[in-house]
Amino acid sequence: MKKILTYGTFDLLHYGHIELLRRAREQGDCLIVALSTDEFNALKGKQAYHSYKVRKQMLEAISYVDRVIPEENWEQKPADVRLFEIDTVVMGDDWKDDAHFTSTLEGLCNLVFLPRTPGVSTSNIKGDLKLQEPVEGNTQLPGESA
Ligand code: C2G
């Protein structure tokens, strides 16, 4: 059983994320996603729109994803690889020269960096949505109080 591991925030899930997960899963038989917690995102200087709970629920609904675990710090990667007996860590190629992957995981597992899907990113989506007028009328989600 060839086990694949990837890391990320996966906020405002979009087809760039889906394409990464699809290609990562294709590298083996099982894909584990280490999902950045809200606290770790703060360390990364990121404020996700959706909470860890919601982002986890969305990832678990994706057929390519077999398991979601929390990513709580930069240092956990070698332990994750050993604990889950990972063959390959797969990331988008924006991470290909990052020591958090190259030096810490060298010799522990294979590393694959896949081309990012062009034209889409969470920050672009947030920017585009900011340019739109707020939607009139009832925008409350079911179960939300007024
Ligand atoms: N990605 C992609 N194409 C895009 C956008 C993202 O292939 N258009 C990939 C990224 O390269 C990454 C994954 O999708 O491998 C998740 O992206 P983010 O949620 O932005 O994750 P990031 O902030 O890069 O966090 O320890 C590593 C970090 O947790 C990675």
Side-chain angles (χ1 to χ4, degrees), residues 6-34:
T6 190
Y7 292 82
T9 299
F10 295 98
D11 191 29
L12 298 181
L13 205 58
H14 55 66
Y15 67 91
H17 294 139
I18 299 299
E19 274 299 283
L20 187 283
L21 295 169
R22 179 185 62 78
R23 290 174 293 161
R25 178 63 180 74
E26 275 175 359
Q27 305 275 327
D29 309 297
C30 164
L31 173 61
I32 299 174
V33 179

Side-chain angles (χ1 to χ4, degrees), residues 6-11 14-17 19-20 23 34-36 40-41 44 46 71 73-74 77 90-95 100-101 114-122:
T6 190
Y7 292 82
T9 299
F10 295 98
D11 191 29
H14 55 66
Y15 67 91
H17 294 139
E19 274 299 283
L20 187 283
R23 290 174 293 161
L35 180 63
S36 308
F40 183 49
N41 273 329
K44 289 198 285 184
K46 275 189 159 186
E71 180 189 28
N73 55 64
W74 291 113
K77 296 183 175 63
V90 175
M91 294 296 292
D93 60 5
D94 46 324
W95 290 93
H100 289 117
F101 290 92
L114 300 170
R116 275 175 71 93
T117 301
V120 64
S121 71
T122 301

